[in-house]
Coordinates of all heavy atoms in Angstrom, one line a residue:
M1 N 0.8 -1.2 0.0 CA 0.0 0.0 0.0 C 0.9 1.3 0.0 O 0.5 2.2 -0.7 CB -0.9 0.0 1.2 CG -1.7 1.3 1.3 SD -3.2 1.1 2.2 CE -3.6 2.8 2.4
T2 N 2.0 1.2 0.7 CA 2.8 2.4 0.8 C 3.3 2.8 -0.6 O 3.2 4.0 -0.9 CB 4.0 2.1 1.7 OG1 3.6 1.7 3.0 CG2 5.0 3.3 1.8
I3 N 3.8 1.9 -1.4 CA 4.3 2.2 -2.7 C 3.2 2.7 -3.6 O 3.4 3.6 -4.4 CB 5.0 0.9 -3.3 CG1 6.2 0.5 -2.4 CG2 5.5 1.2 -4.7 CD1 7.2 1.5 -2.1
T4 N 2.0 2.1 -3.5 CA 0.9 2.6 -4.3 C 0.6 4.1 -4.0 O 0.4 4.8 -5.0 CB -0.4 1.8 -4.0 OG1 -0.1 0.4 -4.1 CG2 -1.5 2.1 -4.8
V5 N 0.6 4.5 -2.8 CA 0.3 5.9 -2.4 C 1.4 6.8 -3.0 O 1.1 7.8 -3.6 CB 0.2 6.1 -0.9 CG1 0.1 7.5 -0.5 CG2 -1.0 5.3 -0.4
V6 N 2.6 6.4 -2.9 CA 3.7 7.2 -3.4 C 3.7 7.2 -4.9 O 3.9 8.3 -5.5 CB 5.1 6.6 -2.9 CG1 6.2 7.4 -3.5 CG2 5.1 6.8 -1.3
A7 N 3.4 6.1 -5.5 CA 3.4 6.1 -7.0 C 2.3 7.0 -7.5 O 2.4 7.7 -8.5 CB 3.1 4.7 -7.5
F8 N 1.1 7.0 -6.8 CA 0.0 7.9 -7.2 C 0.4 9.3 -7.0 O 0.1 10.2 -7.9 CB -1.2 7.5 -6.4 CG -2.4 8.5 -6.7 CD1 -3.1 8.4 -7.9 CD2 -2.7 9.5 -5.8 CE1 -4.1 9.3 -8.1 CE2 -3.7 10.4 -6.0 CZ -4.5 10.3 -7.2
F9 N 1.0 9.6 -5.9 CA 1.5 11.0 -5.6 C 2.4 11.5 -6.7 O 2.2 12.6 -7.2 CB 2.2 11.0 -4.3 CG 2.8 12.4 -3.9 CD1 2.0 13.4 -3.5 CD2 4.2 12.5 -4.0 CE1 2.5 14.6 -3.2 CE2 4.7 13.8 -3.7 CZ 3.9 14.8 -3.2
Y10 N 3.3 10.7 -7.2 CA 4.3 11.1 -8.2 C 3.6 11.2 -9.6 O 4.0 11.9 -10.4 CB 5.5 10.3 -8.3 CG 6.5 10.6 -7.2 CD1 6.7 9.8 -6.1 CD2 7.3 11.7 -7.3 CE1 7.6 10.2 -5.1 CE2 8.2 12.1 -6.3 CZ 8.3 11.3 -5.2 OH 9.2 11.7 -4.2
S11 N 2.7 10.3 -9.8 CA 2.0 10.2 -11.2 C 1.1 11.4 -11.4 O 0.8 11.7 -12.6 CB 1.3 8.9 -11.3 OG 0.2 8.8 -10.5
I12 N 0.6 12.1 -10.3 CA -0.3 13.2 -10.6 C 0.5 14.5 -11.0 O -0.1 15.4 -11.4 CB -1.2 13.5 -9.4 CG1 -0.3 13.9 -8.2 CG2 -2.1 12.3 -9.1 CD1 -1.2 14.3 -7.0
Q13 N 1.8 14.5 -10.9 CA 2.6 15.6 -11.3 C 2.8 15.5 -12.8 O 3.9 15.1 -13.3 CB 3.9 15.7 -10.6 CG 3.7 15.8 -9.1 CD 5.0 15.8 -8.4 OE1 6.1 15.8 -9.0 NE2 5.0 15.9 -7.1
K14 N 1.8 16.0 -13.6 CA 1.9 15.9 -15.1 C 2.9 16.9 -15.6 O 3.0 18.0 -15.1 CB 0.6 16.0 -15.7 CG -0.4 14.9 -15.3 CD -1.7 15.0 -15.9 CE -2.5 13.8 -15.4 NZ -3.8 13.8 -15.9
G15 N 3.5 16.6 -16.7 CA 4.4 17.5 -17.4 C 5.8 17.5 -16.8 O 6.7 18.1 -17.3
K16 N 6.1 16.7 -15.7 CA 7.4 16.6 -15.1 C 7.9 15.2 -15.4 O 7.2 14.3 -15.5 CB 7.3 16.9 -13.6 CG 6.9 18.3 -13.3 CD 6.9 18.5 -11.8 CE 6.5 19.9 -11.5 NZ 6.6 20.2 -10.1
N17 N 9.2 15.1 -15.4 CA 9.9 13.8 -15.6 C 9.6 13.0 -14.4 O 9.6 13.5 -13.2 CB 11.4 13.9 -15.8 CG 11.7 14.6 -17.1 OD1 10.9 14.5 -18.0 ND2 12.9 15.2 -17.2
M18 N 9.3 11.7 -14.6 CA 9.1 10.8 -13.4 C 10.4 10.6 -12.7 O 11.3 10.0 -13.2 CB 8.5 9.5 -13.9 CG 7.0 9.6 -14.3 SD 5.9 9.9 -13.0 CE 6.0 8.4 -12.1
A19 N 10.4 11.0 -11.5 CA 11.6 10.8 -10.7 C 11.6 9.4 -10.1 O 10.6 8.7 -10.1 CB 11.6 11.8 -9.5
K20 N 12.8 8.9 -9.8 CA 12.9 7.6 -9.2 C 12.1 7.6 -7.9 O 12.3 8.5 -7.0 CB 14.3 7.2 -8.9 CG 14.5 5.9 -8.3 CD 16.0 5.6 -8.0 CE 16.0 4.4 -7.1 NZ 17.1 4.4 -6.1
L21 N 11.3 6.6 -7.7 CA 10.5 6.6 -6.5 C 11.4 6.3 -5.3 O 12.2 5.3 -5.3 CB 9.4 5.5 -6.6 CG 8.3 5.8 -7.6 CD1 7.3 4.6 -7.6 CD2 7.5 7.0 -7.2
P22 N 11.2 7.0 -4.2 CA 12.0 6.7 -3.0 C 11.6 5.5 -2.3 O 10.4 5.0 -2.4 CB 11.8 7.9 -2.1 CG 10.5 8.5 -2.6 CD 10.4 8.2 -4.0
N23 N 12.5 4.8 -1.7 CA 12.3 3.6 -0.9 C 11.8 4.1 0.5 O 12.6 4.5 1.3 CB 13.5 2.8 -0.8 CG 13.3 1.4 -0.3 OD1 12.2 1.0 -0.1 ND2 14.4 0.7 -0.1
L24 N 10.5 3.9 0.7 CA 9.9 4.5 2.0 C 9.4 3.4 2.9 O 9.0 2.3 2.5 CB 8.7 5.4 1.6 CG 9.0 6.6 0.7 CD1 7.7 7.3 0.4 CD2 10.1 7.5 1.3
L25 N 9.5 3.7 4.2 CA 8.9 2.8 5.2 C 8.1 3.7 6.2 O 8.6 4.7 6.6 CB 10.0 2.1 6.0 CG 9.6 1.2 7.2 CD1 8.7 0.1 6.7 CD2 10.8 0.7 7.9
R26 N 6.9 3.3 6.5 CA 6.1 4.1 7.4 C 6.7 4.1 8.8 O 7.1 3.0 9.3 CB 4.7 3.4 7.4 CG 3.6 4.3 7.8 CD 2.3 3.6 7.6 NE 1.2 4.4 8.1 CZ 0.0 4.4 7.8 NH1 -0.4 3.4 7.0 NH2 -0.9 5.2 8.3
V27 N 6.8 5.2 9.4 CA 7.4 5.3 10.7 C 6.6 4.5 11.8 O 7.3 3.8 12.6 CB 7.5 6.8 11.2 CG1 7.9 6.9 12.6 CG2 8.4 7.6 10.3
S28 N 5.3 4.4 11.6 CA 4.6 3.6 12.6 C 4.9 2.1 12.5 O 4.6 1.3 13.4 CB 3.1 3.8 12.4 OG 2.7 3.4 11.2
K29 N 5.5 1.6 11.4 CA 5.8 0.2 11.2 C 7.3 -0.1 11.4 O 7.7 -1.2 11.2 CB 5.5 -0.2 9.7 CG 4.1 0.1 9.3 CD 3.1 -0.9 10.0 CE 1.7 -0.6 9.4 NZ 0.7 -1.3 10.2
V30 N 8.1 0.9 11.9 CA 9.5 0.7 12.1 C 9.8 -0.4 13.1 O 10.7 -1.2 12.9 CB 10.1 2.1 12.5 CG1 11.5 1.8 13.1 CG2 10.2 3.0 11.3
D31 N 9.1 -0.4 14.2 CA 9.3 -1.4 15.3 C 9.0 -2.8 14.8 O 9.5 -3.8 15.3 CB 8.5 -1.1 16.5 CG 9.1 0.1 17.3 OD1 10.3 0.4 17.0 OD2 8.4 0.7 18.1
E32 N 8.1 -3.0 13.8 CA 7.7 -4.3 13.3 C 8.7 -4.8 12.2 O 8.6 -6.0 11.8 CB 6.3 -4.2 12.6 CG 5.3 -3.7 13.6 CD 4.0 -3.4 12.9 OE1 3.8 -3.7 11.7 OE2 3.1 -2.8 13.6
T33 N 9.6 -4.0 11.8 CA 10.6 -4.3 10.8 C 11.8 -4.9 11.4 O 12.5 -4.3 12.3 CB 11.0 -3.1 10.0 OG1 9.8 -2.5 9.4 CG2 11.9 -3.5 8.8
P34 N 12.2 -6.2 11.2 CA 13.3 -6.8 11.8 C 14.6 -6.1 11.3 O 14.8 -5.7 10.2 CB 13.3 -8.3 11.3 CG 12.3 -8.3 10.2 CD 11.5 -7.1 10.3
D35 N 15.6 -6.0 12.2 CA 16.9 -5.5 12.0 C 16.9 -4.0 11.5 O 17.8 -3.6 10.9 CB 17.7 -6.3 10.9 CG 17.9 -7.8 11.4 OD1 18.0 -7.9 12.7 OD2 17.9 -8.7 10.6
F36 N 15.9 -3.3 11.8 CA 15.9 -1.9 11.5 C 16.7 -1.1 12.5 O 16.6 -1.4 13.7 CB 14.4 -1.3 11.5 CG 14.3 0.0 10.8 CD1 14.4 0.1 9.4 CD2 14.2 1.2 11.5 CE1 14.3 1.3 8.8 CE2 14.2 2.4 10.9 CZ 14.2 2.5 9.5
P37 N 17.6 -0.2 12.1 CA 18.6 0.4 13.1 C 18.0 1.4 14.0 O 18.7 1.8 15.0 CB 19.6 1.0 12.1 CG 18.9 1.3 10.9 CD 17.9 0.2 10.8
L38 N 16.8 1.9 13.8 CA 16.2 2.9 14.7 C 14.9 2.4 15.3 O 14.2 1.5 14.7 CB 15.8 4.1 13.9 CG 17.0 4.8 13.2 CD1 16.5 5.9 12.2 CD2 18.0 5.4 14.1
R39 N 14.5 3.0 16.5 CA 13.3 2.7 17.1 C 12.3 3.7 16.6 O 12.6 4.8 16.2 CB 13.4 2.7 18.6 CG 14.2 1.5 19.1 CD 14.4 1.5 20.6 NE 13.2 1.9 21.3 CZ 13.2 2.5 22.6 NH1 14.4 2.7 23.1 NH2 12.1 2.8 23.2
K40 N 11.0 3.4 16.7 CA 9.9 4.3 16.3 C 10.0 5.6 17.1 O 9.9 6.7 16.6 CB 8.5 3.6 16.5 CG 7.4 4.4 16.1 CD 6.1 3.7 16.1 CE 5.7 3.0 17.4 NZ 4.3 2.5 17.4
S41 N 10.3 5.5 18.4 CA 10.3 6.7 19.3 C 11.5 7.6 18.8 O 11.4 8.8 18.9 CB 10.5 6.3 20.7 OG 11.6 5.5 20.9
T42 N 12.6 7.0 18.4 CA 13.7 7.8 17.9 C 13.3 8.6 16.7 O 13.7 9.7 16.5 CB 14.9 6.9 17.6 OG1 15.3 6.2 18.8 CG2 16.1 7.7 17.1
C43 N 12.6 7.9 15.7 CA 12.2 8.5 14.5 C 11.3 9.7 14.8 O 11.5 10.8 14.3 CB 11.5 7.5 13.6 SG 12.5 6.3 12.9
Y44 N 10.3 9.5 15.7 CA 9.4 10.6 16.0 C 10.1 11.8 16.7 O 9.8 12.9 16.5 CB 8.2 10.1 16.8 CG 7.2 9.4 16.1 CD1 6.8 8.1 16.4 CD2 6.6 10.0 15.0 CE1 5.9 7.4 15.6 CE2 5.6 9.3 14.2 CZ 5.3 8.0 14.6 OH 4.3 7.4 13.8
K45 N 11.1 11.5 17.5 CA 11.9 12.5 18.2 C 12.7 13.3 17.1 O 12.8 14.5 17.2 CB 12.8 11.9 19.2 CG 13.6 12.9 20.0 CD 14.3 12.3 21.2 CE 14.9 13.4 22.0 NZ 15.6 12.8 23.2
W46 N 13.3 12.6 16.2 CA 14.1 13.3 15.2 C 13.2 14.1 14.3 O 13.6 15.2 13.8 CB 14.9 12.3 14.3 CG 16.1 11.7 15.0 CD1 16.5 12.0 16.3 CD2 17.0 10.7 14.5 NE1 17.6 11.2 16.6 CE2 18.0 10.5 15.5 CE3 17.1 10.1 13.3 CZ2 19.0 9.6 15.3 CZ3 18.2 9.2 13.1 CH2 19.1 9.0 14.1
I47 N 12.0 13.6 14.0 CA 11.0 14.4 13.2 C 10.7 15.7 14.0 O 10.7 16.8 13.4 CB 9.7 13.6 12.9 CG1 10.0 12.5 11.9 CG2 8.6 14.6 12.4 CD1 8.9 11.5 11.8
H48 N 10.4 15.6 15.3 CA 10.1 16.8 16.1 C 11.2 17.8 16.2 O 11.1 19.0 16.1 CB 9.7 16.3 17.5 CG 9.4 17.4 18.4 ND1 8.3 18.2 18.3 CD2 10.1 17.9 19.5 CE1 8.3 19.2 19.3 NE2 9.4 19.0 20.0
L49 N 12.5 17.3 16.3 CA 13.6 18.1 16.5 C 14.2 18.6 15.1 O 15.1 19.4 15.1 CB 14.7 17.4 17.2 CG 14.4 17.0 18.7 CD1 15.5 16.2 19.3 CD2 14.2 18.2 19.5
K50 N 13.7 18.0 14.0 CA 14.2 18.2 12.7 C 15.7 18.0 12.6 O 16.4 18.7 12.0 CB 13.9 19.7 12.3 CG 12.4 20.0 12.2 CD 12.1 21.4 11.9 CE 10.7 21.7 11.8 NZ 9.9 21.9 13.0
K51 N 16.1 16.9 13.2 CA 17.5 16.5 13.3 C 18.0 16.1 11.9 O 19.1 16.5 11.5 CB 17.7 15.4 14.3 CG 19.2 15.1 14.5 CD 19.3 14.3 15.8 CE 20.8 14.1 16.1 NZ 21.1 13.5 17.3
F52 N 17.3 15.2 11.2 CA 17.7 14.8 9.8 C 16.5 15.0 8.9 O 15.8 14.0 8.6 CB 18.1 13.3 9.8 CG 19.4 13.1 10.6 CD1 19.4 12.5 11.8 CD2 20.6 13.4 10.0 CE1 20.5 12.2 12.5 CE2 21.8 13.1 10.7 CZ 21.8 12.5 11.9
P53 N 16.2 16.2 8.5 CA 15.0 16.5 7.7 C 14.9 15.7 6.4 O 13.8 15.4 5.9 CB 14.9 18.0 7.5 CG 16.3 18.4 7.8 CD 17.0 17.4 8.7
Q54 N 16.1 15.4 5.8 CA 16.1 14.6 4.6 C 15.7 13.2 4.7 O 15.3 12.5 3.8 CB 17.5 14.7 3.9 CG 18.6 13.8 4.6 CD 19.3 14.5 5.8 OE1 18.8 15.5 6.3 NE2 20.4 13.9 6.2
L55 N 15.6 12.7 6.0 CA 15.2 11.3 6.2 C 13.7 11.0 6.2 O 13.3 9.9 6.0 CB 15.7 10.8 7.6 CG 17.2 10.5 7.7 CD1 17.5 10.0 9.1 CD2 17.8 9.6 6.7
F56 N 13.0 12.1 6.4 CA 11.5 11.9 6.6 C 10.7 12.7 5.6 O 11.0 13.8 5.2 CB 11.2 12.4 8.1 CG 12.0 11.7 9.1 CD1 13.0 12.3 9.7 CD2 11.7 10.4 9.5 CE1 13.8 11.6 10.7 CE2 12.4 9.7 10.4 CZ 13.5 10.4 11.0
I57 N 9.7 12.0 5.2 CA 8.7 12.6 4.2 C 7.3 12.4 4.8 O 7.0 11.4 5.3 CB 8.8 11.8 2.8 CG1 10.2 11.9 2.2 CG2 7.7 12.3 1.9 CD1 10.4 11.0 1.0
K58 N 6.6 13.5 4.7 CA 5.2 13.5 5.2 C 4.2 13.5 4.0 O 4.3 14.4 3.1 CB 4.9 14.7 6.0 CG 3.6 14.6 6.7 CD 3.4 15.8 7.7 CE 2.1 15.6 8.5 NZ 2.0 16.7 9.5
I59 N 3.4 12.5 3.8 CA 2.5 12.4 2.7 C 1.1 12.1 3.4 O 0.9 11.1 4.0 CB 2.8 11.2 1.8 CG1 4.2 11.4 1.2 CG2 1.7 11.1 0.7 CD1 4.7 10.3 0.3
G60 N 0.2 13.1 3.2 CA -1.2 12.9 3.7 C -1.2 12.7 5.2 O -2.1 12.0 5.7
G61 N -0.4 13.4 5.9 CA -0.4 13.3 7.4 C 0.3 12.1 7.9 O 0.4 11.9 9.1
T62 N 0.9 11.2 7.1 CA 1.6 10.0 7.5 C 3.1 10.3 7.3 O 3.5 10.7 6.2 CB 1.2 8.8 6.7 OG1 -0.2 8.7 6.9 CG2 1.9 7.5 7.3
Q63 N 3.9 10.0 8.3 CA 5.4 10.2 8.2 C 6.0 8.9 7.7 O 5.7 7.8 8.1 CB 5.9 10.5 9.6 CG 5.5 11.8 10.2 CD 6.3 12.9 9.5 OE1 7.2 12.8 8.8 NE2 5.8 14.2 9.8
Y64 N 7.0 9.1 6.8 CA 7.7 7.9 6.2 C 9.2 8.2 6.4 O 9.7 9.3 6.3 CB 7.4 7.8 4.7 CG 6.0 7.4 4.4 CD1 5.0 8.4 4.2 CD2 5.6 6.1 4.3 CE1 3.7 8.0 4.0 CE2 4.3 5.7 4.1 CZ 3.3 6.7 3.9 OH 2.1 6.3 3.6
V65 N 10.0 7.1 6.5 CA 11.4 7.1 6.5 C 11.9 6.9 5.1 O 11.5 5.9 4.5 CB 12.0 6.1 7.5 CG1 13.5 6.1 7.5 CG2 11.5 6.3 8.9
N66 N 12.7 7.7 4.6 CA 13.3 7.5 3.3 C 14.6 6.6 3.5 O 15.6 7.0 4.0 CB 13.7 8.8 2.6 CG 14.3 8.7 1.2 OD1 14.8 7.6 0.8 ND2 14.2 9.7 0.5
L67 N 14.4 5.3 3.1 CA 15.5 4.4 3.4 C 16.7 4.6 2.6 O 17.8 4.3 3.1 CB 15.0 3.0 3.2 CG 13.8 2.5 4.0 CD1 13.3 1.2 3.7 CD2 14.1 2.6 5.5
D68 N 16.6 5.2 1.5 CA 17.8 5.5 0.7 C 18.6 6.6 1.4 O 19.9 6.5 1.5 CB 17.4 6.0 -0.7 CG 16.7 5.0 -1.5 OD1 17.0 3.8 -1.3 OD2 15.8 5.3 -2.4
Q69 N 18.0 7.6 1.9 CA 18.7 8.7 2.7 C 19.2 8.1 4.0 O 20.3 8.5 4.4 CB 17.7 9.8 3.0 CG 17.4 10.6 1.8 CD 18.6 11.4 1.2 OE1 19.4 11.8 2.0 NE2 18.6 11.5 -0.1
L70 N 18.5 7.2 4.6 CA 19.0 6.6 5.9 C 20.3 5.8 5.6 O 21.3 6.0 6.4 CB 18.0 5.6 6.5 CG 18.4 4.9 7.7 CD1 18.6 5.9 8.9 CD2 17.3 3.9 8.2
D71 N 20.4 5.1 4.5 CA 21.6 4.4 4.1 C 22.8 5.4 3.9 O 23.9 5.2 4.3 CB 21.4 3.6 2.9 CG 20.6 2.3 3.1 OD1 20.5 1.9 4.3 OD2 20.0 1.8 2.2
A72 N 22.5 6.5 3.3 CA 23.5 7.5 3.0 C 24.0 8.2 4.4 O 25.2 8.3 4.5 CB 22.9 8.7 2.1
V73 N 23.1 8.4 5.3 CA 23.5 8.9 6.6 C 24.3 7.9 7.4 O 25.4 8.3 8.0 CB 22.2 9.4 7.4 CG1 22.6 9.6 8.9 CG2 21.6 10.6 6.8
I74 N 24.0 6.7 7.3 CA 24.7 5.6 8.0 C 26.1 5.5 7.4 O 27.1 5.4 8.1 CB 24.0 4.3 8.0 CG1 22.7 4.3 8.8 CG2 24.9 3.1 8.4 CD1 21.8 3.2 8.7
R75 N 26.2 5.5 6.0 CA 27.5 5.4 5.4 C 28.4 6.6 5.7 O 29.6 6.5 5.9 CB 27.3 5.4 3.8 CG 27.2 4.0 3.4 CD 27.2 3.9 1.8 NE 25.8 3.8 1.4 CZ 25.1 4.7 0.7 NH1 25.8 5.8 0.3 NH2 23.9 4.6 0.4
K76 N 27.8 7.8 5.8 CA 28.5 9.0 6.2 C 29.0 9.0 7.6 O 30.0 9.6 7.9 CB 27.6 10.3 6.0 CG 28.2 11.6 6.2 CD 27.2 12.7 6.0 CE 27.9 14.0 6.3 NZ 26.9 15.1 6.3
G77 N 28.4 8.3 8.5 CA 28.9 8.2 9.8 C 27.9 8.7 10.9 O 28.3 9.0 12.0
G78 N 26.6 8.9 10.5 CA 25.6 9.3 11.4 C 25.7 10.8 11.8 O 25.8 11.6 10.9
T79 N 25.7 11.0 13.1 CA 25.6 12.4 13.6 C 27.0 13.0 13.9 O 27.1 14.1 14.4 CB 24.8 12.4 14.9 OG1 25.5 11.6 15.8 CG2 23.4 12.0 14.6
K80 N 28.1 12.3 13.5 CA 29.4 12.8 13.8 C 29.7 14.0 12.9 O 29.3 14.2 11.9 CB 30.5 11.7 13.5 CG 30.3 10.6 14.5 CD 31.3 9.5 14.2 CE 31.2 8.4 15.2 NZ 32.1 7.3 14.9

């Protein structure tokens, strides 16, 4: 369902090149995902503090983690 919503969101932007769809995970489902490096409470705290704004996308009132950006932050070394 997540990908369907995102695909629809991008497809309604007519006249623009279709960008690569981001790899998203709903923040409320983070704790249910095995081996995910963050807890749900950490994600919500970072959203509130705007610590890594590039990691989070809000679509229709639902917060998502951009997994591609999360990998980039992890490779970079996190908060150092």
